[in-house]
Amino acid sequence: MKKRHLLAATLVACSLGTQAQVIQSYQVRDAVTLRTPILTDSINTEGRKYETKNLLGTAVGLNQDNYTTQAMVADTAGFVTLAAADGEHLIYVVSTNIRADRFMKGKLKVTSPVRWEAYIDGVSKSKKENADDSLNVKAAQDIALRMEPERDYVVTIKFLAHKEDKAAPAFKCEVVADKGYEKVNVFSGQDLKRRFTLDNTVYGNRVIDVAMSPSGKYLYTRHWNYYSKDRQHVYAQLTDTKTGKVLLANAKDGMRWMPKSDKLYYTVTAAEGNNVIVLDPTTLTEEVLLTEIPADRFTWAPTEDFLIYYPSESGQTEQGPLKRIVTPRDRIPGFRGRSFLAKYDIKKGTTERLTYGNHSSYLQGIRHDGAKIIFSTYAEDVTNRPFGTSSFYQLDLNTYEIDTLVAASGFVDGATYSPDGTQVLFVGGAEAFDGVGKNCGNHPIANDYDKQAFIMDLATREVTPITKDFDPSVSVLQWNVADKNIYFTTEDKDEQNIYRYNTAKKVFEQMPLEISVTQRFSLPSQSATTAAYYGQDDNTAGVAYLFDMKKMRSRLIDDPMKPILDEIELGETSEWNFTASDGTTIYGKCCLPPSFDPEKKYPLIVYYYGGTSPTVKGISNPYCAQLFASRDYVVYVIQPSGTTGFGQEFAARHVNAWGKRTADDIIEGVKQFCKEHPYVDAERIGCLGASYGGFMTQYLQTQTDIFAAAVSHAGISNVTSYWGEGYWGYSYNAVAAAESYPWKNPDLFTKQGSLFNADKINTPLLLLHGTVDTNVPMGESIQLFNALKILGKPVEFIQVEGENHFVSDYAKRVLWHNTIMAWFARYLQDSPEWWNDMYPERHL
């Protein structure tokens, strides 16, 4: 644990002007004693003699948080003097932080008579290998600096104090701006509060899963400690929920609970097939439970006497370079593969194939007594929306009797048994079951991404739409055996909340949890006394709790990201909603920059949904508000018309609109936001979106000139070409343009696209696109780029090589993110230097 003696420390923020800025405060580790090695020979294998400078190569930990340190402040001349070596040699590790408020190039000038090696963010940048007899300022060395705006850089220097040095180990560090960067503000200091960066959206230690044992006595928790691009560690812990005692601090990763027994299991490769190993939490001993079972994925039966397997077939393949495309989905790799069901009887050791055919089969649920299962099949139907149907069947495993529950529905997604097996819970779009759960006002077609729940009585086949008047969009967690209630994960405005449907009272009850975005809620399969959950919000990530289901209270289990986040100055977030001109409440939030000054004028960045799902709270994605706010922007996140999780009527506004009404909400909201927030500079507003949000960025520029800069990642410029070319273009439009086609509603497919309105765009527009994007092909950006270039409009087009719809390669993601921020800096902060450094002007 870090121990820091907090002496007087300073934070310096000044315009460099023509003067160098002297760094005033440092964090200094207690000296490490070194001894000269025994010289068994006069030279080494390379013929070199031992030299004092070799001691600089001594491996000494650079992370000051792991050691006892003290804060030290420079004297009036800018120097810090350390204790001289007396008898033994000493290594001092000194660190400080620097940050610039704009892109800057310059030098770090280090002056010291002793030997030293300097690092920036852990990377060695320069060495001084010879000692001077006195503090000779002419012996200073310069280290090149390239500082991105509002990013913290850790400067660490190892100083070697040799017992034969004639000068005391003193040092001074200065930041000197290159020409043209003299007015950049630079902050420095050993206690400089950090800013949130792209790294913080990925790196760090987070809880990534929680799983309760069937009885609720034990908890299995998974953690992901992501140190850097190439270094990470996933580990698991086993905890007694009553005492909170950690029974196994480093449990095997990838274990799962048996459905009825309080035992964890995992599989290992056997001579043939796999063996199943179980761990007993009461004794912490392992034993082989099953031997040489089929080596494939499986699901345990609730009775623990059989397994359901998923055998697969790859399907037919063409010979030679030509491929006949049979259906639209046949373009998608792996589409011809099929998955089926098989039952493995544990007692007999036999595998029995349950399904066979030309359509995949999917297990939906196993009845509590193991006598019956529900499975579904999927069949493509390209002549009818939504171009594919699912059928749901109940199979008696004893008699092989089949009972059709749902026949060829395009809007039913999944099913699960009630605890007593007399009812089935279905989830799907509002159009399911002939629209019995439809409640979208005057809109003729529902947004079927806004998921609803239905209960079917197996005796009568009566279907009850239990979410018809419930606004959040739902997905099923569990129909609990103990309390007979149904638990749902929901899209609930900009949160992901857990609701319980009380089957007796027929009402929904929200679980009062401690986080806004619950990423996993684990309830014991045989109990309803204690649950566990983990998630995030705008100030936390990967934090886990236990939840007392009777007292409705949470108890913190782990918050491994807290030490990192405590070092970061986050922006203040608050809800900001407005009433649109039609009387609808449009929800949103405001995120202020760190060290916010209400007397200043700040540029504004506006962000909106990219599909139809809401923009949920959180700090673990590259579009999170805190990331933009950290660059000194006010951020407005709006949830415009068409967003799911706000009720069926609101979500249905997405259908057959392609920007209509949604754009109006954004424009009206931005104007009202600026009116109510005088610290926003209404002349410096940027907007940003990806996928459908990228389409929205483009479309907005055809409707308004209020934005000073815009960014579209993987955006759609031509609804028709996206409909026809994207892997899921036609199927996405089964919702977004339901019952509309280019030949049936040409205005929707042309007038709503930015390509056909390119002459109306005046805003500087940045287009980014992965070169192998299969969802929204890169041609969508190419078309608009060509049009705007021909029109002489301000546009830039950056291709991200080898990336699909999301930039997954982290090194490329850093460059992608910097490109976005450099673009905004250019137009919203009068700071084009960063963009020009990344993309110098070319004349081809």
Side-chain angles (χ1 to χ4, degrees):
M1 181 179 293
K2 174 175 59 178
K3 298 178 181 178
R4 184 182 299 177
H5 305 294
L6 295 177
L7 303 180
T10 59
L11 301 183
V12 179
C14 69
S15 177
L16 288 172
T18 58
Q19 302 295 318
Q21 175 185 312
V22 177
I23 298 176
Q24 296 290 331
S25 66
Y26 303 86
Q27 185 179 340
V28 182
R29 178 181 170 184
D30 292 350
V32 178
T33 301
L34 300 179
R35 289 177 290 186
T36 302
I38 304 300
L39 303 180
T40 59
D41 294 292
S42 60
I43 59 173
N44 66 6
T45 56
E46 297 177 347
R48 295 178 182 176
K49 293 183 178 181
Y50 177 82
E51 299 180 72
T52 301
K53 67 180 183 181
N54 292 7
L55 287 171
L56 268 180
T58 302
V60 179
L62 300 181
N63 187 346
Q64 301 284 60
D65 291 346
N66 297 328
Y67 307 100
T68 301
T69 64
Q70 61 178 321
M72 298 190 71
V73 179
D75 60 23
T76 55
F79 282 91
V80 173
T81 301
L82 306 169
D86 183 12
E88 301 289 352
H89 318 306
L90 301 176
I91 283 278
Y92 290 97
V93 180
V94 173
S95 66
T96 192
N97 302 312
I98 56 176
R99 181 172 73 231
D101 70 342
R102 294 291 182 268
F103 179 79
M104 193 199 87
K105 286 185 174 182
K107 302 174 184 64
L108 176 67
K109 183 184 292 292
V110 181
T111 304
S112 177
V114 299
R115 298 169 181 86
W116 54 263
E117 182 173 7
Y119 303 77
I120 297 179
D121 289 343
V123 178
S124 179
K125 296 293 183 180
S126 184
K127 290 182 182 180
K128 179 175 179 287
E129 297 184 322
N130 297 303
D132 301 317
D133 292 342
S134 63
L135 188 57
N136 182 359
V137 296
K138 293 182 180 180
Q141 289 184 203
D142 292 337
I143 302 168
L145 288 177
R146 181 186 181 276
M147 299 177 67
E148 296 166 4
E150 302 297 354
R151 177 188 161 185
D152 299 280
Y153 294 85
V154 180
V155 176
T156 308
I157 307 177
K158 291 194 304 186
F159 290 99
L160 172 61
H162 195 271
K163 65 181 180 179
E164 297 178 2
D165 288 345
K166 295 181 180 180
F171 67 91
K172 178 168 71 171
C173 296
E174 304 164 88
V175 178
V176 184
D178 285 352
K179 185 178 180 180
Y181 298 96
E182 296 90 345
K183 294 184 179 180
V184 175
N185 292 317
V186 174
F187 302 81
S188 66
Q190 58 94 12
D191 269 345
L192 181 65
K193 198 79 170 175
R194 291 176 175 271
R195 289 293 177 94
F196 190 82
T197 68
L198 185 68
D199 285 354
N200 300 126
T201 67
V202 176
Y203 299 142
N205 195 351
R206 292 167 167 83
V207 174
I208 57 171
D209 199 12
V210 290
M212 297 290 293
S213 70
S215 71
K217 292 181 180 179
Y218 305 103
L219 172 67
Y220 181 76
T221 311
R222 297 182 68 230
H223 297 71
W224 186 12
N225 202 348
Y226 201 169
Y227 305 110
S228 63
K229 183 177 184 294
D230 301 313
R231 299 186 65 81
Q232 54 188 288
H233 173 50
V234 178
Y235 62 99
Q237 292 183 337
L238 178 64
T239 305
D240 184 300
T241 58
K242 184 177 181 180
T243 64
K245 181 181 178 181
V246 176
L247 304 176
L248 278 178
N250 285 287
K252 181 179 177 60
D253 183 42
M255 291 194 288
R256 297 184 179 184
W257 292 106
M258 300 281 286
K260 184 171 64 175
S261 309
D262 268 359
K263 293 182 178 181
L264 288 160
Y265 75 91
Y266 63 95
T267 61
V268 296
T269 302
E272 292 187 14
N274 287 340
N275 291 346
V276 175
I277 313 296
V278 294
L279 169 72
D280 187 340
T282 61
T283 62
L284 299 182
T285 57
E286 293 185 353
E287 64 174 332
V288 178
L289 180 67
L290 303 175
T291 58
E292 299 186 340
I293 63 172
D296 205 346
R297 296 181 304 111
F298 64 83
T299 297
W300 277 97
T303 49
E304 296 185 0
D305 57 351
F306 67 88
L307 311 173
I308 296 294
Y309 272 90
Y310 309 99
S312 62
E313 299 172 0
S314 60
Q316 296 180 353
T317 58
E318 266 82 7
Q319 300 297 318
L322 304 182
K323 177 181 179 180
R324 177 193 177 200
I325 302 299
V326 181
T327 70
R329 285 172 61 91
D330 195 22
R331 296 170 55 218
I332 302 172
F335 167 72
R336 295 185 180 184
R338 297 293 185 266
S339 176
F340 301 97
L341 301 179
K343 176 187 175 184
Y344 177 78
D345 188 298
I346 291 175
K347 187 175 182 179
K348 297 178 181 177
T350 57
T351 300
E352 185 179 24
R353 184 76 174 259
L354 298 178
T355 62
Y356 179 90
N358 191 39
H359 298 112
S360 290
S361 307
Y362 307 96
L363 179 68
Q364 297 291 333
I366 306 175
R367 207 169 72 174
H368 68 285
D369 59 1
K372 296 182 179 182
I373 66 171
I374 296 175
F375 72 93
S376 66
T377 60
Y378 177 82
E380 194 171 18
D381 180 5
V382 295
T383 61
N384 294 289
R385 185 180 77 92
F387 312 123
T389 61
S390 294
S391 297
F392 290 77
Y393 306 96
Q394 181 173 244
L395 170 64
D396 188 312
L397 294 178
N398 295 315
T399 65
Y400 265 37
E401 180 182 352
I402 282 283
D403 186 3
T404 302
L405 304 180
V406 177
S409 171
F411 304 102
V412 179
D413 300 330
T416 186
Y417 276 112
S418 63
D420 62 4
T422 63
Q423 297 173 302
V424 175
L425 175 68
F426 289 95
V427 170
E431 305 282 350
F433 301 106
D434 298 321
V436 67
K438 194 172 172 181
N439 184 20
C440 51
N442 296 324
H443 301 280
I445 302 176
N447 180 342
D448 283 297
Y449 291 127
D450 196 66
K451 298 303 180 183
Q452 309 298 312
F454 311 82
I455 294 178
M456 174 187 285
D457 185 292
L458 288 176
T460 65
R461 300 303 163 94
E462 180 181 356
V463 174
T464 303
I466 63 173
T467 57
K468 185 173 184 177
D469 299 307
F470 181 65
D471 285 345
S473 176
V474 303
S475 63
V476 180
L477 267 175
Q478 184 185 115
W479 198 331
N480 187 257
V481 171
D483 64 8
K484 307 299 188 292
N485 294 322
I486 307 171
Y487 292 81
F488 292 95
T489 297
T490 67
E491 287 180 346
D492 188 10
K493 298 184 175 65
D494 63 350
E495 299 182 347
Q496 287 179 188
N497 290 317
I498 306 300
Y499 281 83
R500 174 173 62 192
Y501 180 70
N502 189 310
T503 53
K505 298 179 180 179
K506 294 181 170 49
V507 295
F508 282 90
E509 305 161 330
Q510 182 179 344
M511 300 291 98
L513 307 183
E514 293 295 320
I515 48 179
S516 302
V517 179
T518 304
Q519 294 170 280
R520 173 73 186 275
F521 185 85
S522 178
L523 190 64
S525 59
Q526 308 296 320
S527 169
T529 57
T530 304
Y533 64 94
Y534 86 96
Q536 64 175 343
D537 54 33
D538 284 330
N539 300 287
T540 61
V543 56
Y545 294 86
L546 282 172
F547 184 67
D548 188 315
M549 297 288 289
K550 292 182 179 179
K551 297 179 180 179
M552 293 291 174
R553 293 178 186 172
S554 296
R555 174 162 56 94
L556 181 67
I557 302 172
D558 201 0
D559 188 2
M561 273 290 287
K562 188 176 187 302
I564 293 175
L565 295 175
D566 282 347
E567 298 289 327
I568 296 173
E569 184 181 11
L570 295 172
E572 178 185 339
T573 60
S574 60
E575 184 177 280
W576 187 82
N577 311 319
F578 77 98
T579 302
S581 54
D582 69 345
T584 303
T585 298
I586 302 297
Y587 289 81
K589 75 176 178 185
C590 169
C591 185
L592 300 176
S595 303
F596 171 71
D597 180 356
E599 301 302 317
K600 289 178 58 177
K601 283 281 189 178
Y602 291 89
L604 175 69
I605 289 180
V606 181
Y607 183 75
Y608 27 78
Y609 71 77
T612 186
S613 297
T615 302
V616 298
K617 297 174 182 176
I619 55 175
S620 297
N621 74 77
Y623 297 105
C624 67
Q626 290 285 7
L627 189 55
F628 302 129
S630 71
R631 305 279 191 181
D632 270 354
Y633 295 99
V634 173
V635 183
Y636 172 36
V637 178
I638 184 173
Q639 313 284 357
S641 290
T643 314
T644 56
F646 290 80
Q648 288 190 43
E649 190 279 330
F650 196 83
R653 299 178 185 185
H654 181 78
V655 181
N656 282 308
W658 274 101
K660 293 178 182 177
R661 180 62 181 277
T662 302
D664 295 338
D665 286 349
I666 295 172
I667 294 168
E668 187 176 1
V670 170
K671 290 180 177 179
Q672 189 64 27
F673 187 91
C674 292
K675 183 179 179 180
E676 294 188 19
H677 299 87
Y679 48 78
V680 170
D681 187 342
E683 300 299 317
R684 299 174 187 273
I685 306 173
C687 61
L688 168 76
S691 193
Y692 186 94
F695 158 83
M696 185 55 60
T697 290
Q698 300 172 17
Y699 178 68
L700 280 168
Q701 311 324 308
T702 71
Q703 305 296 303
T704 182
D705 288 329
I706 65 173
F707 298 106
V711 176
S712 166
H713 174 74
I716 299 158
S717 66
N718 181 347
V719 180
T720 305
S721 57
Y722 166 66
W723 172 85
E725 189 179 357
Y727 273 5
W728 300 278
Y730 76 101
S731 58
Y732 175 77
N733 273 288
V735 175
E739 305 297 347
S740 293
Y741 303 95
W743 56 90
K744 185 177 178 182
N745 189 354
D747 283 355
L748 178 67
F749 284 83
T750 55
K751 290 183 179 180
Q752 295 307 108
S754 60
L755 178 64
F756 293 91
N757 298 279
D759 58 327
K760 300 174 185 176
I761 298 176
N762 299 306
T763 307
L765 177 61
L766 172 62
L767 303 169
L768 300 118
H769 225 118
T771 59
V772 293
D773 192 332
T774 54
N775 185 358
V776 178
M778 191 172 67
E780 294 301 314
S781 287
I782 294 173
Q783 293 179 85
L784 185 58
F785 175 72
N786 290 347
L788 293 177
K789 275 296 184 181
I790 290 170
L791 289 164
K793 300 298 181 77
V795 63
E796 292 282 355
F797 179 30
I798 305 298
Q799 300 180 6
V800 188
E801 290 294 330
E803 292 301 296
N804 206 303
H805 201 51
F806 178 75
V807 182
S808 58
D809 182 277
Y810 189 72
K812 296 176 185 177
R813 195 186 311 171
V814 171
L815 295 173
W816 165 86
H817 170 74
N818 287 347
T819 299
I820 293 171
M821 301 318 300
W823 181 258
F824 282 140
R826 176 181 179 181
Y827 287 101
L828 305 184
Q829 295 179 329
D830 289 331
S831 183
E833 294 83 6
W834 193 8
W835 177 269
N836 294 337
D837 181 75
M838 293 185 71
Y839 303 103
E841 193 66 32
R842 288 185 179 180
H843 300 283
L844 301 180

